[in-house]
Amino acid sequence: MNRTKKLVYLSLMISQSLVLYIIESFLPPLSFIAPGAKLGLANIITLSVLYISGVRDAFVVLAMRILISSFFSGGVSSFIYSISGGMLSLLAMSATKKLSRFDISIVGVSVSGALFYNIGQLLAAAAIIRNIKILMYLPVLAYVSVGTGIFVGIVSKFLVERSGFKKYITKAP
């Protein structure tokens, strides 16, 4: 793929990710299940990009989405929580995806990403408030992560299978 096509592709993915982030901000939070829990709609795009064009492009989409969304609506604390959760999540999804000999589906990869997103955010919170006891909230968030991860994984599976981008991009290993 030439540089122009790749730039357009990544720009479209970042834009879609930001739109899903904005849509999610209008939805009621999942506070009735667990305070602070969200669906993670923007992660649909990150996971899809991971499967369509690889971890480098997924990193670019994730980092730019977090940077832009934090700049416009979240501030420094939002950036710290999002970047710590997002990067740990992407690392976990990439590692889980590489475990192909265990035949882990995109839904399983998504669940691992959702779980590690919450772990990353809790670790950031523990560092900020200097209290590791906040990790006691992990079992509650892990429970929610399974549900949201399954939802994000199913939608991503649909997108990856029906995406027109695959014919323009060399699939990453």
Side-chain angles (χ1 to χ4, degrees):
M1 171 186 336
N2 69 33
R3 293 173 65 129
T4 304
K5 284 183 182 179
K6 185 161 193 148
L7 182 63
V8 170
Y9 164 73
L10 290 174
S11 299
L12 285 170
M13 296 300 105
I14 293 165
S15 300
Q16 290 176 0
S17 183
L18 284 166
V19 166
L20 288 173
Y21 173 82
I22 292 167
I23 289 170
E24 186 172 19
S25 73
F26 290 119
L27 297 175
L30 301 176
S31 296
F32 62 93
I33 298 173
K38 292 180 169 183
L39 278 174
L41 295 179
N43 296 326
I44 292 169
I45 303 301
T46 305
L47 181 59
S48 298
V49 171
L50 178 64
Y51 271 82
I52 293 169
S53 60
V55 70
R56 285 185 183 160
D57 290 345
F59 172 80
V60 170
V61 170
L62 176 69
M64 290 305 297
R65 191 244 322 148
I66 290 171
L67 187 65
I68 294 168
S69 63
S70 296
F71 180 74
F72 284 111
S73 67
V76 176
S77 64
S78 174
F79 176 78
I80 291 169
Y81 290 122
S82 294
I83 202 75
S84 60
M87 292 303 152
L88 193 57
S89 171
L90 183 59
L91 255 164
M93 289 190 298
S94 179
T96 306
K97 182 179 178 261
K98 288 183 186 217
L99 295 173
S100 58
R101 65 184 174 144
F102 295 111
D103 201 27
I104 299 171
S105 72
I106 191 170
V107 176
V109 170
S110 177
V111 170
S112 76
L115 177 62
F116 278 90
Y117 194 92
N118 288 323
I119 291 171
Q121 287 190 322
L122 285 175
L123 289 173
I128 289 169
I129 65 171
R130 295 186 180 127
N131 189 345
I132 198 75
K133 290 183 181 179
I134 196 164
L135 291 176
M136 292 174 58
Y137 191 50
L138 183 59
V140 174
L141 288 177
Y143 175 74
V144 175
S145 296
V146 172
T148 60
I150 289 171
F151 172 76
V152 167
I154 290 170
V155 175
S156 296
K157 182 179 187 308
F158 179 81
L159 273 174
V160 168
E161 288 173 354
R162 289 162 179 78
S163 173
F165 290 115
K166 274 189 172 183
K167 56 186 156 188
Y168 298 110
I169 297 171
T170 305
K171 191 167 181 178

